Amino acid sequence: METVVGRENMLSAYKRVVRNKGASGSDGMTVDELKPFLQMHWAQVKEQLLKDRYKPQPVLRIEIPKPGGKGVRKLGIPTVLDRLIQQAVLQVLTPIYDPCFSKFSYGFRPGRSAHQALCQAREHMAEGKRWVVDMDLEKFFDEVHHDILMSRIAMKIADKRILRLIRSYLQAGIMTGGLVTQPVKGTPQGGPLSPLLSNILLDDLDNELEQRGHRFCRYADDCNIYVGSRRAGERLLSSLDKFVTNKLRLKINRSKSAVDRPWNRKFLGYSVTYHNPPRLKVALDSVARFKGKVKEAFRRGRGRNLKKFIMELQPMLRGWINYFRLSEVKGIFEELDEWIRHHLRCVLWRQWKRNYTRMRQMRKNGISEKRAWKSATNGRGPWWNSRASHMNQAFPKKVFDRLGLVSLLDTILTFNNNLRTAVYGTVRTVV
């Protein structure tokens, strides 16, 4: 505990909490109000921690929709002060636990990422493991057994103050609609400690799979195990069901878990082709969710200046392509680029409203007067015209490039060529 409340550790934790920002907890304190609070009360809080008298405040329960509208995900938002203390504890515990975790565990670990998990999964498949046990733990964060988790933590942590502090965070009240309830199990998603605690508990699963000699990738509670046949996968899933139930007191969600070909499943938003070796590609569900977000942005952007709207669209496009840059199937990015440009042309057509304005704008962009008037008065709707040849000719790709629109295809081609330059020392154009 002395290490946790040490000046350097607390200063580092404070910087991280401020950088992450985040919503207020049950006490309403914002991140901006944390520093003045600490200047007045830190000595008292520190003494409570050292003397094992600190009591966390209830977490604020919020619900966010899951991707695809399939239910809601329950998050527990700790107060800013509790986020600070959890972050300080995390910084002390991570160097103790992380070196002992499995090399096939990638979620919420320093120096590890979802991209590394995907590359490892592709490697397993390239080695001939052409069946996957896609295992989903039912309501994992809501079902964590406190006693089992605390017993795992106590194997490495001797300071009873730390153990009691962690348990108090597990048992902190949950505020929903102004009412506080006491949990008997689970670790709320939303606090800095929750990811580490989940890895500590699921390390038993990793060790079991390694002892059996299986090839797998786990990212938090998302685990894929790669085997050589359907029969082997079904036997494994059945035995893991018993292990997870008896050893971890958790449940495998049979409706979401399956033994199947990898190209029929998705992992971390990606799928693969059936080629040998397999190639990573964007899963269809990921494309559908991306389109839904872009459509919502376009609905908000109607009637606004096109260049400013494109600038506001950039972070979404860059963030999405940055995550899916490992995709080795490029056709979807070209299709999405065309789809986005059609939407932008549709925005323009709607903004022009009058036939005379539409004709004038097309004339300004190189369409003949006769064709411009015929196109402006064709009686078709905005989406049809946005896909028609006159709008494609008047507003080709280079126009949107000048306005600063990110091209998903160009971005991923540049990334792949830079990668090949770094590996081979020469540029190889990806087709």
Side-chain angles (χ1 to χ4, degrees):
M1 184 62 81
E2 283 75 11
T3 307
V4 169
V5 299
R7 178 178 175 80
E8 289 188 8
N9 187 57
M10 292 304 304
L11 184 60
S12 175
Y14 173 79
K15 290 178 179 177
R16 173 60 69 91
V17 170
V18 171
R19 185 165 63 249
N20 289 345
K21 298 181 180 180
S24 303
S26 58
D27 63 351
M29 183 190 299
T30 66
V31 172
D32 294 334
E33 296 170 332
L34 178 60
K35 184 175 181 179
F37 176 86
L38 293 175
Q39 289 171 337
M40 294 183 63
H41 302 286
W42 171 241
Q44 179 184 354
V45 173
K46 180 179 178 180
E47 183 181 5
Q48 290 174 351
L49 289 167
L50 290 172
K51 293 185 177 181
D52 201 10
R53 295 202 306 263
Y54 181 80
K55 300 297 181 184
Q57 297 186 61
V59 298
L60 181 64
R61 169 63 55 82
I62 63 171
E63 297 180 349
I64 60 174
K66 289 184 177 181
K70 300 175 182 178
V72 295
R73 178 172 286 114
K74 297 178 180 179
L75 299 183
I77 308 300
T79 64
V80 178
L81 177 61
D82 283 325
R83 292 210 294 271
L84 173 69
I85 296 172
Q86 285 193 35
Q87 180 64 37
V89 174
L90 175 69
Q91 292 170 179
V92 173
L93 296 188
T94 297
I96 297 172
Y97 284 98
D98 192 76
C100 305
F101 288 150
S102 169
K103 65 179 180 179
F104 298 122
S105 168
Y106 293 91
F108 308 112
R109 296 181 59 190
R112 289 177 166 253
S113 67
H115 283 174
Q116 291 174 332
L118 289 160
C119 291
Q120 180 68 74
R122 179 177 57 188
E123 185 177 322
H124 290 329
M125 288 180 274
E127 291 173 354
K129 305 298 182 180
R130 307 280 282 175
W131 290 87
V132 63
V133 179
D134 187 355
M135 189 174 69
D136 181 86
L137 296 175
E138 186 173 343
K139 298 179 181 178
F140 170 71
F141 285 95
D142 295 332
E143 297 293 330
V144 169
H145 195 283
H146 291 172
D147 290 341
I148 292 178
L149 174 58
M150 291 308 304
S151 70
R152 302 299 186 273
I153 299 173
M155 290 178 181
K156 292 183 181 293
I157 304 300
D159 191 331
K160 300 297 184 182
R161 295 169 297 179
I162 291 290
L163 295 176
R164 280 190 282 267
L165 179 63
I166 294 175
R167 185 178 279 276
S168 68
Y169 275 121
L170 292 174
Q171 296 177 340
I174 299 174
M175 180 179 287
T176 307
L179 300 177
V180 177
T181 57
Q182 297 299 132
V184 296
K185 58 183 178 180
T187 170
Q189 289 179 268
L193 261 179
S194 292
L196 176 63
L197 299 182
S198 69
N199 277 332
I200 291 173
L201 182 62
L202 292 177
D203 191 50
D204 280 359
L205 175 62
D206 297 340
N207 292 334
E208 178 71 14
L209 291 171
E210 286 191 343
Q211 288 173 9
R212 297 186 188 186
H214 288 298
R215 308 291 180 85
F216 69 97
C217 291
R218 184 178 65 79
Y219 193 94
D221 58 333
D222 198 351
C223 185
N224 275 11
I225 308 136
Y226 298 89
V227 295
S229 67
R230 177 186 287 276
R231 187 176 178 185
E234 290 173 347
R235 285 199 307 266
L236 175 59
L237 185 58
S238 178
S239 65
L240 286 179
D241 198 353
K242 297 176 183 177
F243 173 83
V244 167
T245 301
N246 298 332
K247 187 82 171 179
L248 304 179
R249 303 286 181 87
L250 298 170
K251 292 182 180 179
I252 291 179
N253 189 332
R254 283 289 190 163
S255 63
K256 294 183 179 179
S257 303
V259 179
D260 206 341
R261 293 291 195 180
W263 46 87
N264 294 330
R265 310 294 294 181
K266 61 183 176 68
F267 181 53
L268 301 178
Y270 281 77
S271 186
V272 295
T273 65
Y274 57 83
H275 300 88
N276 193 9
R279 293 185 293 168
L280 292 171
K281 66 177 185 177
V282 185
L284 295 178
D285 284 357
S286 300
V287 175
R289 286 197 298 271
F290 174 70
K291 282 188 169 184
K293 291 181 180 178
V294 174
K295 282 181 179 178
E296 179 60 30
F298 274 110
R299 280 192 287 269
R300 296 194 305 266
R302 289 178 181 175
R304 301 177 59 187
N305 177 274
L306 190 65
K307 186 171 184 178
K308 289 182 179 179
F309 173 67
I310 287 175
M311 290 300 102
E312 293 178 10
L313 198 62
Q314 301 298 61
M316 181 193 302
L317 302 181
R318 291 191 185 279
W320 193 82
I321 193 60
N322 184 57
Y323 181 74
F324 287 105
R325 67 179 185 268
L326 293 186
S327 176
E328 298 162 283
V329 178
K330 308 297 185 288
I332 187 61
F333 301 111
E334 185 175 9
E335 293 174 14
L336 286 172
D337 277 340
E338 293 175 357
W339 181 80
I340 291 170
R341 289 195 295 270
H342 287 157
H343 269 281
L344 290 171
R345 295 185 188 108
C346 186
V347 168
L348 287 173
W349 192 267
R350 289 179 184 277
Q351 288 180 350
W352 293 337
K353 294 183 180 178
R354 298 177 180 276
N355 291 340
Y356 175 76
T357 305
R358 291 168 177 168
M359 184 192 74
R360 186 182 62 189
Q361 291 292 339
M362 283 188 285
R363 289 281 292 127
K364 285 172 58 178
N365 287 276
I367 305 296
S368 67
E369 183 176 357
K370 181 178 179 180
R371 189 182 180 202
W373 179 248
K374 183 178 179 180
S375 301
T377 58
N378 60 27
R380 300 277 190 169
W383 184 245
W384 187 93
N385 278 285
S386 70
R387 299 171 65 92
S389 60
H390 52 269
M391 283 296 284
N392 279 269
Q393 181 181 337
F395 292 89
K397 178 180 180 299
K398 61 182 180 182
V399 171
F400 296 108
D401 289 342
R402 287 198 300 267
L403 291 172
L405 179 66
V406 172
S407 168
L408 303 179
L409 179 62
D410 290 350
T411 302
I412 200 168
L413 290 180
T414 300
F415 169 78
N416 278 275
N417 286 333
N418 289 342
L419 182 62
R420 282 161 174 75
T421 301
V423 173
Y424 300 108
T426 182
V427 175
R428 299 182 179 185
T429 303
V430 182
V431 296

